[in-house]
């Protein structure tokens, strides 16, 4: 199995620029005090909203880097529509909806792939309507991660 993205974004290493260093929990008690009062508590993990904003910034910057590195990308293409990465996953169909197909790999990861006009199902080289693929069918699904953060289904190849 080869993959470069999942439905949940993996944490991205970021350099902290906070003026107050983050202290490990075991060092909090030994933190310096001012006038007998304990120092400020250590910085907390980013709230969910901040993590989502950081993810959107990362996706946008990655799409712009892809545009800069590929002269074939039309300048009029919206950042949200630029392909950042392409990947393939081997697994079984978990669910097919009107606008998404979910594929579960052998490790239990679930990939929610959005269906668009370029998505297609294939069995032995022939087109198969995606809505006719049943739950549990073994597939090799190729998809693109785009600047909007969506994973777009490309070829869903039915396997034996």
């Amino acid at each position: 199995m080869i993959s470069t993205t999942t439905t949940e974004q993996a944490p991205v290493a970021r350099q902290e620029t906070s003026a107050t260093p983050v202290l490990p929990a075991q060092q909090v008690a030994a933190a310096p005090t001012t006038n007998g009062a304990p120092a400020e508590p250590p910085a907390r993990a980013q709230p969910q909203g901040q993590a989502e904003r950081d993810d959107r910034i990362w996706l946008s910057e990655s799409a712009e880097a892809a545009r800069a590195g590929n002269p074939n990308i039309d300048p009029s293409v919206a950042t949200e529509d630029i392909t950042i990465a392409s990947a393939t996953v081997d697994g079984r169909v978990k669910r097919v909806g009107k606008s998404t197909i979910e594929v579960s790999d052998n490790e239990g990861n679930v990939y929610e792939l959005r269906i668009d006009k370029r998505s297609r199902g294939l069995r032995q080289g022939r087109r198969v309507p995606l809505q006719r693929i049943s739950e549990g069918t073994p597939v090799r699904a190729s998809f693109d991660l785009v600047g909007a953060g969506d994973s777009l289904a490309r070829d869903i190849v039915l396997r034996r």
Side-chain angles (χ1 to χ4, degrees), residues 1-6 85-90 105 107 109 111 141 143:
M1 185 227 26
I2 301 170
S3 68
T4 60
T5 185
T6 63
S86 296
T88 302
V89 62
D90 291 323
D105 68 13
E107 297 170 0
N109 299 310
Y111 298 78
F143 58 96

Side-chain angles (χ1 to χ4, degrees), residues 5-128:
T5 185
T6 63
T7 55
E8 294 181 18
Q9 294 293 323
V12 176
R14 293 182 175 82
Q15 182 176 0
E16 293 293 329
T17 58
S18 171
T20 306
V22 178
L23 300 174
Q26 57 269 41
Q27 291 181 349
V28 172
T33 61
T34 305
N35 296 333
E40 290 184 35
R44 299 192 196 293
Q46 291 180 344
Q48 184 67 22
Q50 180 65 39
E52 290 173 5
R53 280 190 295 276
D54 288 349
D55 286 347
R56 282 194 303 271
I57 291 168
W58 180 87
L59 289 163
S60 177
E61 289 174 349
S62 296
E64 287 301 331
R67 182 193 314 267
N70 185 346
N72 295 325
I73 296 176
D74 187 327
S76 66
V77 174
T79 301
E80 295 81 17
D81 297 330
I82 295 174
T83 298
I84 296 171
S86 296
T88 302
V89 62
D90 291 323
R92 293 187 177 272
V93 173
K94 184 173 181 180
R95 186 184 69 78
V96 178
K98 289 184 179 181
S99 61
T100 61
I101 183 167
E102 292 180 3
V103 177
S104 177
D105 68 13
N106 293 336
E107 297 170 0
N109 299 310
V110 176
Y111 298 78
E112 182 178 22
L113 310 176
R114 195 176 89 204
I115 297 170
D116 68 2
K117 63 185 178 200
R118 292 178 48 202
S119 304
R120 62 185 186 163
L122 297 169
R123 175 184 290 137
Q124 297 177 345
R126 295 181 188 223
R127 292 198 64 149
V128 175

